[in-house]
Structures are given as structure tokens and as C-alpha cells.
Amino acid sequence: MVAGVWKVMITVAAVYLMMYLKGVDLKNSYKALFVFTELHEDIPTLSALLAVTIGGFVAYLTAYTACKLQMQIMSFSVPIVLSILVTLGILAGDCHYDDTGFIQHICQYTEKCDTSQYVYYLGISWSVSLLWISRHIWFPRQRRLQDYERLFINPFYCGILTCENLVLNRRRHNESVTYICDDQQEHFFIVKPGSAKQHSSSSTQQHAEIPCIYACATMWHETKTEMTQLLKSLFRLDRDQALREQCAVLRNMVGERDRFNYQAHIFFDDSLEINDDDKWQANVFVRTLVKIMKEACSSVHRRYHLHDPYKVITPYGAQLIWEMPGGNLLYVHLKDKNKIRHRKRWSQVMYMYFLLGYQILKDSAQDIAKQINKDTPMDKKHISEMIDLDTQRKSNNTFILTLDGDVDFCPGAVRSLLEKMSNDNVGAVTGRIHPIGSGPLVWYQKFEYAIGHWLQKSTEQVLGCVLCIPGCFSLLRASALMDDNIMRTYTTLPTKPGHFLQYDQGEDRWLSTLLLKQGYRLDYAAAAAAYTYAPEGFNEFFNQRRRWIPSILANIIDLLSSSEAIVASNSNVSYLYIIYQTAMMAGTILAPGSVILMIAGAIEAVFAPGLIYAYLISLLIPTIFTITCFTASTKIQLNLATLFSVIYAFIMMVVIARTIMIAFEQSALHLRVLFTIILPVLYIMSGLLHWKEKGCLPHGLLYFLCIPSTYILLLIYSLCNLNIVSWGTREIPDRKTKQQLKAEREAAQSEKKVDGLFARLFFSSTSIQELKQLLQELKLKLSSSSKDRQDAVALPTQMYRNVPKQLDQLAGKEPQSQSSCESVATRSINVSAEEPLPAEDETENEFYRENHWAHDPALGNGPVLTLVGKEKNFWNDLIEKYLKPIEQDPLKENQNKTELIELRNVVCFMIVMMNALWMAINLMFQLLNAAAFRIEYRLSGHVVQLNTDILGLLFTSFLALLTIIQSCGMLFYRWETFLHLISMASLKASNEEQSYQLIEKLAETTELNSACEEDKEHIYNRLRDIVTGGMTAGTLANRRRLKLSATATR
């Protein structure tokens, strides 16, 4: 595109040069602007010039668009071949019949053609050879939405022989040939990054390389509704994948479009806890997940009843494994924070190393072992090279779908993300995130997310690439993550205060920064929609943004500080892109001061207290809130922020009144009025261009009223509390062990607290504290979700069971242990023949205590097995090297707190000083009326004078320039999204449309019946083979899909 535009510009410049050499006076403005009019007497020359310049460029664009949308045969091959033949026929006819005079009418050629028959033979031979050499244009092998570099060899085009140039410039394929030679044999490997076929000198076997998607979700303290939403999405993806596999088998099309392999993983943080008998059990959130698993499956596969999970004891905790109806596997990894690091970043490290390191290498080794010919021995070096090549090919076509524990998506969104991965340089791609929920704060976030995606992400995509790939719904390429500078760097522990903000507070943005530094492109697919629950409460919203804002600032500063290296290593990042991000960063930092200036101007215009007093009044709330954030508790800060947000909403109404007054008293073309009008017009235009999302527009009024709260109060709260590195959302108190409760009782006794007469007669202080704690848990349960209230019934039961213990304590007796009852209950649970045994260095009591969760009836009656072999060794090595729990060091923790407080003070001081200087400069210009000037213009026959100053004009021009850039970026990206949607559409008689109709038929007719007991035993046997390493998950899934295909055939 850039090369074509540049060529048109050079052609126009050449015309000016030619006219200058002919003696045309280009100093004359009329002749300089209309230089082509000098050619009006030379019509053939002008026609040829316009045809070569405009026609070649249009043909170049249309040819590229046709190949990009996989419309090559009808929109590229047929027109180009016909144009070549028709052109040659016209020239031959004009030469054979001299009386036509066609050539004389379109050019200055006046001599007669040589009509010798040898000329015809030569022309026919040339045409046949051209069509033979370019026969590959009839068999396109690239995917949809490929970049120009992957479709054409040369980025330039020829304006004279346009069709011939496009035909010869079209790429045949995108394979890279790897050559290995030794003294005995030569080996050639053709590795296809996109839709790979692998050829070997010793074998001509071909197989379609199907993308593999690992859906990896992280969970912590999600509600039942949120868990159900995620599980339904995973089962829908399983159903869609199985139907497409059946369609491919029935139609005997190995390379069926939109096929992919699939496996789901859920990583549960802090999932095990100590019960009252000092034994490990799954917490209430894990039990809820297991309980609703069958319900979520039945809502998608209506007549299928899911089996109980296969339970595996692992070095990091446990695994619960289900085989979904489509034959794909669903893993739930239960993390014990005493054995492995918890929090989201370390869960990502787990699945990166396990799925991308261990699994891919294992599959490649098995595939190469099957391909090696036993009659032709090879040394270990060549086998290792073959495994490396196969691993590289697999990793380039393996993807991780990162998910949050409450996300909702459809299979079509995943396919849209996969389409964007057609370019190997794309390391990750994200979709359009829609916040859901109820309440005013959710309405505000709907509009905020909307304009963020409509304008900000679209502009970043057009100028270079997006800066952040959120972990709630994104697709990441395995080969990009497996880079040492990314995966290994991502495991780095924070050593400096800024690292806590960049590494742990915003791990998704840090991973995006690492991908950018390594040279990968980050894309945005607006057609891939996902829905996630947004904070509904004011405190939860502020705590979430308290974690996000410092992380965003830290990563952008890191990006800008290393801009030269990034521009040199990443072809998608230019200095123009860096300048744009610098301008956005400056606008974010000066946003509080700018909003305060706007409020001061409104107060001065409406109440007229004087300019200085207006400034002081507008600074009153930010000053009080800043002092409060430095001195008071978080609860007081949030309560005060709530009060000030309400006050600011009324102040914004004053701003609206002030703008209306300026429009009527001075002029409707006043800079402030224009900017106030342009922004709503831009948002409305953006909403109309995103027609399905136009429902977000009414929330724009709420967004406008909340501008001071989010740009002043939220920024102050985030920066003044950046020393707090806790998660801030979904946090609940940990369940206390017996040792902890005993220590608390001893501490209470040491304080010699004496109970009153009433308490000694009825309840002790310890019993009252326990009762208070249970009631608090009940309150949290009842306030969490309306659908989750039924889960709180277990709390009164627990209170009832604790009554005998409290009575025993009053009587001075030890509480009766329930281990005997539980041991009787566990004997009735069915377990597999491979009953787990304790390790050599572990006693039987310790083993049973740690693995008591495996015999919990709430987790089902599935078999229990201990992980053994290479996979167990892998987890042990990984935990020892990267994921070993961090030991608590009070001295180190205190040092980190001190350094974080110092960093907070420095950052707040810098932000305050920059905003203070910005406001002081504006105040000085307004008081002294410095650099003020007057603009006069006519409006309806009257002369209108507009008074302004240079500083206000520059600031307004800066905002207007950003607005224009984002508007153009949005328009360009809407065109790109249109092409994306067109590329996914199928013609009525095409193979894709036939496949789609067959998939719909299969979905209507294929019924997955409930699994009988015998089928469950077969499922458990297959899962056991996977755990023990006897059979890969892919082989089992293929067998299952073939069985479903046979059912669909019948």
C-alpha cells in the first residue's frame, strides 16, 4: 500500500519535472495547481499517463484485496488471464486489419505492424509459457487475511505490464525448506508455518497441520453464575469443534476450513484448605465448580450426563479430569499454595511451561519416532534436529486461549481470533471485551470500554499494534511465548519497587510489553466478542483501577524509555507510533490539572468569585482527598471518594451550563464550545459505525458526569496507594487452622481477658468469636449473588455441628474428633485399583492428611491416581526452579514496603508538580492576559469577535489533533473489520457453505446420549492411559470423534 502510494507521488512529481523542462512557469500558482491542463492539446499522452498511474494502482489494490479475502480464482486469476488474452487479441486484430486504426486513436504509434506469422507464433508461445509458469494462481494455498508480503514477492507493481507483473509476482507458497546433509544421506524438510505439510526425502506422506488451541482459564473466588458462564463457553467450543471434525470426516476433506484441535484447562488458585480435623480439603469454590459441571454440560449437550471427574494427585496439588462430550479433555488444576506459588502470573507460567514446553516436545518426539525408518539408522544428532524442526512447526501452529473465570464467548469469536493468526509475526490477538452486570457503574464501564475499543485500540492497530493483550479473552502463539526472552523473563521475581507494579499488578500488560520488545505484533479483532462481569460496587471498581493504573503507567514508561530498541527490533512500531503514545501519556498525566482548570472556569463564569478564588475552590476537593489518601485508611478514602464523586457530578452540570452561556453570550464557535460539541459528535458517529453496539451511547451522559471522579479522584487514589500490592478484588479471609485458632486463644488468655457473668454462664468469648465469624461468612454468601444463596445453607449446618464442640469447651472437655466417622465414609467411596500410596519419606498419616480431599464425596466418586513418571518429574523440576513458594522474610517484606512507600512519594510528587506547573502557567496567562489575541469572522452578516490566548489555542489544537487521528484510525479499522467479516462469509455454492449446512444438520440430528456405566469405565480407562503416559490426548480425541462421525452417518 505504502509502496503504491509512493509510486503515484513519484509519477506526479515526474509530470511536474517534465513540464518544467518544457518551459512551463510553475511559479504561477494557477499553472502549478493545474499542471495537467498543459497537456490538454496532447490527449494521447495525458490518457496514457492517467491510465498508467491510476489504473495500475487500482488494479494493484483490487488484486491484493481479492487474494487477501480468498477470492483469488474468480476475482484475480480469471480477470487477469482474460485481460492478457483480450489485449493480445486486440493488438493482433489491429495489426491484421489496418483499417481499424484502433492503436492510432489511443497512442502516437503511426507505423504499420509487422504481420509476419512468426510474430503470431512468438506471441502465442509467450502467452502459453506465461500461463504455464503462473499456473499456481489457480490453486491458492494461503490462508485468509494474509499480509501483502505473504501473498506477493515484490512490494512494488508495474504500471505498464500490470497484469503480467501481478501474475508473476504472486507467491506459490509460504514454505521454508530446511536442508540436512551427512555422509550417508540427504534430508529435505519443507516446513509450512501456516497450513503445513511436511515432506521428507524418505517419505512422501502428507498430513494436514490442524491448529491446536489450549483454552486456559484462571479462577480464584468466582461466583456460581460466573463459573457457569465460563463452563458453558468451554462446552460450546467443544461441541463446535466436534461437529467440524465430523463434517471433515463425512466430506472426506482433511484440510477442512476452520478445523482445530482443542483442550481446556482451568487453574484454580488457593483451592485447598484445612478443615476442622486438620486435613486438607477442597474449598467451597472448587466444590461449587464440580457441582455445576454437569449442569453446564447438560445446558449445551442436552441429553448427555457428564461422568464424575478422574482425580489425580500431583506435586502441586491435584487434577480433576473430565472427558467432554466432543471427546476433548477438561482439566481442573487445583493449586495448593503451600506447594506452588499462587496468583494469576504463576498460573500462566504453569500452563506455558507444561503445555508449550512439555506437551509439544513430547508429541514431537512421538511423531518423529513413528516416522523414522528402522532400516535406515540415524544418529542422535539428526533425530534431535528433526525433533527441533517438528517442535518449531507445531509451536507455530499451537495457540493458548487465555480466559478469565467469568468470561462468556462463542466459538465464532475464537475462529475470528484464529483468522488473525495467519501472519506468523502476530504473537497475540485480542477481541472486543464487553462488560456485563447491572448498576450505574456497569453503565459507565460499558461506555468507557466502547470508546476505548472504538477509538484507542483501533488507532493503535492502524498506526502499529495494540499495547495490551488482556488475559480475559486473547489468543497467544506458542512459538512467541516459547522465546527465552519472553517465557523465562516472565518468571522473574520482583527485586525493585517498580517491578511489583509492572510484574504482579498488571501481568497481562507486562507480557504484552515483552512480546513487543521481542518484535512480535499484537493485533485486535473487533469481530471476536467476549463478555465478562465488571465491578458493580464503587469500592470494588476503585480497587480494580488502583491495580491497573500504576501498571499501565509503568509499562508505558518502560516502552517509551526503550523506544529506540523497540523500533529497531519491531517493524510494526515506528517513531510516529511512539510519538502518539507519548502524547497520550502526557494527556493522561496532565488530565487532573486540565479537569480542574475546566471546573475553575465554570465556577468563575457562573458564580464570579474572582479568578484566584475560583482556582482555590476547584483545588479544595483534590487537596482534601490527597491528604486523606496519605493519612487515612482505605475505607475512609473510598467513603470520601464516593461523597466527592457525587459533588463532582453536580459541578459537571455547572460546566454544561457554563458552556451553554459561552455559546449564547460570545459565539457558538468558541474553542471550548467547539470541543464540547465535537466530542459527542465523534462518539455518536463511532456508535453509528458500530451499529450493534449503539446501545452504549445513552451511557455517555453518565460518563461525562463522572469525568472529574475518574480523572482526578481515581488517579489520586491509585497513585497514593500504589504501595499496596494486594489484588484488591474477590478477596476473602483465609480459613484458620487449629494451630492458628489455638495461638489466638493463647494470646487472648495471655491478655487475661475476663468474661462477664452472663458470658461465663452461657457462652465463652471464644465461642462468641467463632459464632461471629460464621455469621460474617453467611453474610458474605448472601450478598454475593442471588443464585448462590442456596450454597449458604451449608453454613447453618456447620454452625449446628460446632455446638457440641462449644458445649464440650464449656465443660472443660476436648472436642470429639470426627475422624472415625469420616474414615467410615471414605471406605464406601469407589476408588481405582491404583490406590495412591505414600512416598518413601512420607508417613501414612501425613499422606492421608494431605490427600484427604481425594475422598471427598463433593468431588464425585471417580477413580483416584497418583501422577507418576516423566510428567511428575517435570512438575517437580518446574516447581523447584520457578514455582517454589516464596518463603516469608519479615525483614525483606519491611524493606519492600519502605521502598514502595518511597516510590509512591516520588511518583505523587512528580505528578503533583507537573499538574501544579500546568495550572500555574494557565493562571498566569489568564491574569496577565498574556499572548491574547482576537479572531474576527462574519456570521449571518454580523462581525463576531472571539477572544482567546495562545496557550488555550495550542491545548485545544493538541486535543483536536488527537481526535482527528483517532477518528481516521477508527475509519480505517472499520474497513479492515469489514474485510475480515467478508473473508469469513461463504458463497452459496461454495465448499464452505456446504460444510456449514452439514454442520447445522449434524447439530440438529446428532444426539449425545447419556453415558452408561460401561461407557464410564471405558472413559476412566482412557483417562488413566493419559495420566500414565500410555496414550496421547489427541489420539483419544480422534477416536472419540470418529465414533461420533459414525453416529452422525447413521
Side-chain angles (χ1 to χ4, degrees):
M1 174 70 72
V2 177
V5 174
W6 181 246
K7 186 172 183 178
V8 172
M9 294 172 60
I10 292 178
T11 304
V12 174
V15 173
Y16 276 92
L17 179 61
M18 181 181 66
M19 300 309 298
Y20 175 77
L21 295 177
K22 286 186 174 182
V24 178
D25 184 14
L26 298 180
K27 294 182 180 180
N28 190 327
S29 59
Y30 177 82
K31 292 185 177 181
L33 293 176
F34 303 98
V35 66
F36 286 98
T37 59
E38 299 291 333
L39 300 175
H40 68 280
E41 297 180 356
D42 196 357
I43 299 300
T45 303
L46 178 60
S47 302
L49 179 63
L50 294 177
V52 170
T53 305
I54 300 177
F57 183 64
V58 173
Y60 155 76
L61 289 180
T62 53
Y64 167 59
T65 303
C67 297
K68 183 178 182 178
L69 301 182
Q70 285 193 338
M71 302 163 58
Q72 179 169 321
I73 295 178
M74 296 303 299
S75 302
F76 178 81
S77 304
V78 172
I80 283 184
V81 171
L82 290 179
S83 64
I84 293 174
L85 298 179
V86 169
T87 302
L88 293 176
I90 292 175
L91 294 176
D94 190 80
C95 290
H96 185 71
Y97 301 99
D98 297 334
D99 55 346
T100 60
F102 177 76
I103 298 181
Q104 285 79 4
H105 287 291
I106 64 173
C107 68
Q108 295 178 346
Y109 184 79
T110 56
E111 297 182 3
K112 290 184 104 179
C113 299
D114 185 3
T115 57
S116 175
Q117 60 180 351
Y118 297 105
V119 176
Y120 294 106
Y121 296 152
L122 182 60
I124 294 174
S125 301
W126 177 84
S127 302
V128 172
S129 65
L130 176 65
L131 297 178
W132 175 256
I133 293 173
S134 61
R135 64 186 182 278
H136 61 276
I137 65 175
W138 300 98
F139 310 99
R141 300 166 67 178
Q142 284 82 3
R143 290 183 176 180
R144 289 172 290 190
L145 300 178
Q146 292 279 1
D147 289 340
Y148 185 86
E149 293 77 10
R150 301 185 63 81
L151 295 174
F152 296 92
I153 299 174
N154 197 324
F156 298 97
Y157 69 94
C158 177
I160 300 176
L161 299 175
T162 305
C163 296
E164 291 79 2
N165 173 262
L166 291 173
V167 166
L168 297 175
N169 198 21
R170 182 68 170 89
R171 283 187 181 272
R172 188 184 303 270
H173 55 71
N174 290 323
E175 294 93 337
S176 59
V177 180
T178 303
Y179 172 72
I180 303 175
C181 179
D182 59 4
D183 297 336
Q184 299 178 355
Q185 192 175 4
E186 295 181 353
H187 305 275
F188 296 90
F189 294 94
I190 300 179
V191 181
K192 290 187 179 181
S195 57
K197 289 180 181 179
Q198 184 178 0
H199 304 271
S200 177
S201 58
S202 59
S203 176
T204 59
Q205 181 182 2
Q206 298 181 0
H207 62 89
E209 185 66 26
I210 302 175
C212 180
I213 296 179
Y214 291 105
C216 298
T218 54
M219 277 191 177
W220 188 24
H221 293 155
E222 280 74 14
T223 64
K224 178 182 177 181
T225 304
E226 294 170 345
M227 293 180 183
T228 305
Q229 181 168 268
L230 172 68
L231 292 177
K232 287 182 179 179
S233 301
L234 296 178
F235 282 113
R236 284 196 297 265
L237 190 59
D238 166 72
R239 183 170 181 265
D240 180 79
Q241 190 266 350
L243 290 175
R244 293 183 180 278
E245 289 293 335
Q246 295 177 44
C247 176
V249 172
L250 293 178
R251 300 193 65 210
N252 195 22
M253 296 181 65
V254 179
E256 184 66 26
R257 179 174 171 176
D258 293 332
R259 291 178 64 194
F260 57 91
N261 294 323
Y262 168 58
Q263 195 174 96
H265 293 260
I266 298 176
F267 291 81
F268 228 120
D269 265 314
D270 197 12
S271 56
L272 301 178
E273 62 183 8
I274 293 288
N275 63 6
D276 294 335
D277 293 318
D278 199 26
K279 296 175 183 178
W280 287 98
Q281 67 177 12
N283 61 17
V284 64
F285 300 100
V286 176
R287 296 183 179 188
T288 302
L289 178 69
V290 175
K291 181 180 178 181
I292 65 175
M293 187 68 70
K294 295 182 180 180
E295 176 185 344
C297 179
S298 300
S299 64
V300 178
H301 305 274
R302 299 187 182 278
R303 295 178 57 185
Y304 190 90
H305 296 282
L306 199 64
H307 61 85
D308 290 335
Y310 199 107
K311 294 174 275 190
V312 182
I313 300 172
T314 63
Y316 58 83
Q319 287 180 1
L320 304 179
I321 310 176
W322 285 268
E323 184 178 271
M324 292 185 284
N328 303 295
L329 298 182
L330 171 60
Y331 288 80
V332 176
H333 303 263
L334 306 181
K335 297 172 57 180
D336 184 357
K337 66 179 181 180
N338 298 310
K339 298 180 179 179
I340 195 170
R341 295 176 191 172
H342 64 289
R343 300 187 76 168
K344 183 178 179 180
R345 177 159 75 102
W346 303 114
S347 296
Q348 292 175 332
V349 172
M350 282 181 65
Y351 62 67
M352 284 181 190
Y353 275 91
F354 175 62
L355 299 176
L356 307 184
Y358 176 78
Q359 290 285 13
I360 292 182
L361 187 61
K362 176 183 175 182
D363 293 343
S364 297
Q366 291 183 358
D367 293 344
I368 295 300
K370 295 177 182 178
Q371 295 178 10
I372 294 178
N373 189 355
K374 297 182 179 180
D375 299 332
T376 307
M378 299 179 63
D379 56 15
K380 294 183 178 180
K381 178 182 178 182
H382 290 156
I383 295 177
S384 178
E385 291 176 346
M386 293 172 64
I387 293 176
D388 290 341
L389 290 173
D390 193 74
T391 302
Q392 180 183 1
R393 177 177 57 84
K394 280 185 170 62
S395 64
N396 201 51
N397 217 27
T398 301
F399 308 95
I400 286 184
L401 180 65
T402 61
L403 304 170
D404 276 352
D406 60 348
V407 71
D408 181 20
F409 61 92
C410 63
V414 179
R415 294 197 301 271
S416 298
L417 295 179
L418 196 59
E419 290 293 338
K420 286 285 188 176
M421 285 293 186
S422 57
N423 184 1
D424 293 339
N425 193 36
V426 176
V429 58
T430 184
R432 167 70 166 94
I433 310 301
H434 297 265
I436 56 177
S438 59
L441 269 177
V442 177
W443 302 341
Y444 168 84
Q445 292 174 85
K446 285 184 177 181
F447 187 80
E448 180 193 31
Y449 275 63
I451 62 175
H453 287 84
W454 296 347
L455 300 175
Q456 179 67 15
K457 279 194 179 295
S458 299
T459 304
E460 289 179 350
Q461 173 77 5
V462 172
L463 294 180
C465 55
V466 297
L467 278 185
C468 180
I469 298 295
C472 58
F473 184 68
S474 298
L475 195 67
L476 288 80
R477 190 184 300 274
S479 58
L481 295 175
M482 291 172 67
D483 196 309
D484 284 342
N485 292 331
I486 295 177
M487 186 180 292
R488 187 169 299 177
T489 305
Y490 197 61
T491 62
T492 305
L493 286 172
T495 57
K496 298 179 180 180
H499 293 171
F500 290 95
L501 307 180
Q502 188 175 8
Y503 296 177
D504 294 331
Q505 298 296 93
E507 62 285 332
D508 300 330
R509 187 169 284 270
W510 183 40
L511 181 60
S512 303
T513 303
L514 293 177
L515 289 169
L516 284 175
K517 288 184 176 181
Q518 202 59 26
Y520 293 100
R521 177 181 176 84
L522 309 181
D523 267 0
Y524 164 56
Y531 302 84
T532 182
Y533 281 96
E536 298 180 357
F538 186 87
N539 295 355
E540 186 181 5
F541 172 74
F542 260 55
N543 283 328
Q544 181 196 64
R545 300 306 171 93
R546 184 260 300 164
R547 190 177 74 248
W548 285 5
I549 291 177
S551 172
I552 292 173
L553 296 178
N555 280 279
I556 293 180
I557 291 174
D558 183 20
L559 179 74
L560 298 179
S561 61
S562 55
S563 58
E564 293 185 4
I566 295 178
V567 171
S569 61
N570 196 326
S571 60
N572 302 290
V573 178
S574 61
Y575 283 107
L576 178 62
Y577 182 82
I578 296 297
I579 293 173
Y580 171 76
Q581 293 296 341
T582 304
M584 295 298 297
M585 180 72 173
T588 302
I589 293 175
L590 298 178
S594 302
V595 176
I596 292 173
L597 290 174
M598 177 184 66
I599 294 174
I603 293 175
E604 167 64 17
V606 176
F607 303 103
L611 189 60
I612 296 180
Y613 287 105
Y615 269 75
L616 293 177
I617 294 173
S618 62
L619 286 171
L620 184 61
I621 291 179
T623 303
I624 295 175
F625 189 67
T626 303
I627 296 174
T628 304
C629 289
F630 273 96
T631 57
S633 63
T634 303
K635 183 177 181 180
I636 296 177
Q637 297 174 33
L638 292 174
N639 291 336
L640 198 60
T642 306
L643 175 62
F644 287 161
S645 297
V646 176
I647 296 175
Y648 269 136
F650 287 100
I651 294 177
M652 289 304 295
M653 299 300 296
V654 175
V655 173
I656 296 176
R658 163 62 175 162
T659 305
I660 297 175
M661 290 173 57
I662 294 176
F664 280 96
E665 294 177 357
Q666 299 184 23
S667 172
L669 298 180
H670 191 277
L671 296 179
R672 183 175 299 176
V673 178
L674 284 177
F675 189 74
T676 306
I677 295 175
I678 288 175
L679 278 183
V681 170
L682 173 62
Y683 294 155
I684 293 174
M685 182 184 69
S686 303
L688 295 178
L689 289 176
H690 301 77
W691 184 252
K692 292 185 177 180
E693 303 175 22
K694 62 182 182 299
C696 300
L697 291 177
H699 307 317
L701 179 60
L702 178 62
Y703 179 84
F704 180 78
L705 296 178
C706 294
I707 284 178
S709 176
T710 53
Y711 281 85
I712 299 177
L713 301 180
L714 183 56
L715 187 63
I716 293 175
Y717 177 76
S718 302
L719 297 181
C720 293
N721 291 278
L722 64 81
N723 58 305
I724 302 176
V725 293
S726 62
W727 201 249
T729 55
R730 301 184 186 271
E731 292 183 343
I732 62 173
D734 295 334
R735 184 187 180 94
K736 296 181 180 180
T737 62
K738 280 187 175 182
Q739 290 79 1
Q740 293 173 338
L741 293 175
K742 182 179 180 180
E744 290 182 358
R745 287 194 298 266
E746 292 177 354
Q749 292 177 1
S750 63
E751 296 177 358
K752 297 181 180 181
K753 181 177 179 180
V754 181
D755 293 331
L757 177 62
F758 182 81
R760 287 197 298 269
L761 290 176
F762 295 96
F763 293 101
S764 65
S765 59
T766 305
S767 302
I768 295 176
Q769 291 295 331
E770 291 181 358
L771 184 61
K772 183 178 179 180
Q773 180 181 358
L774 291 173
L775 291 175
Q776 184 67 21
E777 293 179 359
L778 178 61
K779 180 181 178 181
L780 291 174
K781 275 287 180 182
L782 293 176
S783 62
S784 60
S785 176
S786 59
K787 294 184 179 181
D788 297 334
R789 294 179 182 177
Q790 54 185 347
D791 296 338
V793 178
L795 287 175
T797 306
Q798 184 179 357
M799 296 168 60
Y800 174 77
R801 291 177 179 175
N802 286 342
V803 170
K805 296 182 181 180
Q806 297 173 358
L807 295 176
D808 291 339
Q809 291 176 2
L810 289 174
K813 300 178 181 180
E814 291 295 327
Q816 183 178 1
S817 174
Q818 298 178 358
S819 60
S820 59
C821 299
E822 291 182 356
S823 63
V824 174
T826 54
R827 292 194 190 103
S828 63
I829 300 175
N830 295 326
V831 296
S832 66
E834 298 85 357
E835 182 68 27
L837 298 175
E840 296 180 357
D841 57 347
E842 188 178 24
T843 64
E844 185 174 356
N845 291 334
E846 292 177 352
F847 179 80
Y848 179 74
R849 173 179 174 272
E850 292 187 359
N851 302 304
H852 172 72
W853 62 267
H855 308 285
D856 189 351
L859 301 185
N861 297 327
V864 183
L865 185 65
T866 302
L867 191 65
V868 295
K870 295 181 179 180
E871 186 173 342
K872 180 180 180 180
N873 297 333
F874 164 80
W875 283 116
N876 288 328
D877 295 339
L878 183 64
I879 292 173
E880 182 66 26
K881 189 171 184 180
Y882 296 119
L883 299 175
K884 190 175 182 180
I886 301 175
E887 298 180 359
Q888 294 184 352
D889 186 355
L891 295 178
K892 184 64 176 177
E893 291 178 358
N894 292 333
Q895 181 182 356
N896 291 336
K897 290 180 180 179
T898 303
E899 293 177 351
L900 283 170
I901 291 175
E902 292 178 356
L903 176 64
R904 185 228 18 212
N905 296 338
V906 172
V907 171
C908 291
F909 176 77
M910 293 178 61
I911 297 295
V912 169
M913 287 302 300
M914 284 188 286
N915 283 273
L917 290 174
W918 169 242
M919 290 185 293
I921 293 173
N922 278 272
L923 178 61
M924 181 188 67
F925 271 73
Q926 292 180 7
L927 285 176
L928 301 179
N929 202 18
F933 58 93
R934 180 179 301 172
I935 301 176
E936 294 183 357
Y937 59 93
R938 288 186 172 273
L939 183 63
S940 300
H942 300 282
V943 177
V944 181
Q945 296 180 353
L946 180 61
N947 298 322
T948 185
D949 59 271
I950 188 64
L951 192 62
L953 181 62
L954 291 177
F955 182 70
T956 306
S957 302
F958 171 76
L959 295 180
L961 179 61
L962 290 180
T963 303
I964 293 173
I965 292 175
Q966 291 186 347
S967 301
C968 296
M970 178 194 62
L971 294 175
F972 277 108
Y973 186 72
R974 289 310 291 168
W975 171 251
E976 184 178 341
T977 304
F978 173 75
L979 294 181
H980 187 188
L981 296 175
I982 291 296
S983 69
M984 299 180 66
S986 301
L987 298 178
K988 186 174 182 179
S990 63
N991 292 330
E992 290 80 8
E993 181 63 23
Q994 296 176 9
S995 299
Y996 179 74
Q997 294 176 358
L998 180 58
I999 289 173
E1000 287 187 337
K1001 188 67 175 177
L1002 287 172
E1004 295 174 358
T1005 57
T1006 304
E1007 294 288 347
L1008 302 175
N1009 298 323
S1010 59
C1012 60
E1013 294 298 326
E1014 182 180 359
D1015 192 22
K1016 289 183 179 179
E1017 292 298 326
H1018 291 316
I1019 292 176
Y1020 287 142
N1021 291 334
R1022 288 195 294 268
L1023 295 178
R1024 181 193 59 197
D1025 292 337
I1026 295 175
V1027 175
T1028 57
M1031 188 177 297
T1032 62
T1035 304
L1036 294 175
N1038 289 332
R1039 291 184 179 181
R1040 178 74 172 177
R1041 286 191 290 270
L1042 289 176
K1043 180 180 177 180
L1044 293 175
S1045 300
T1047 305
T1049 305
R1050 292 195 297 269

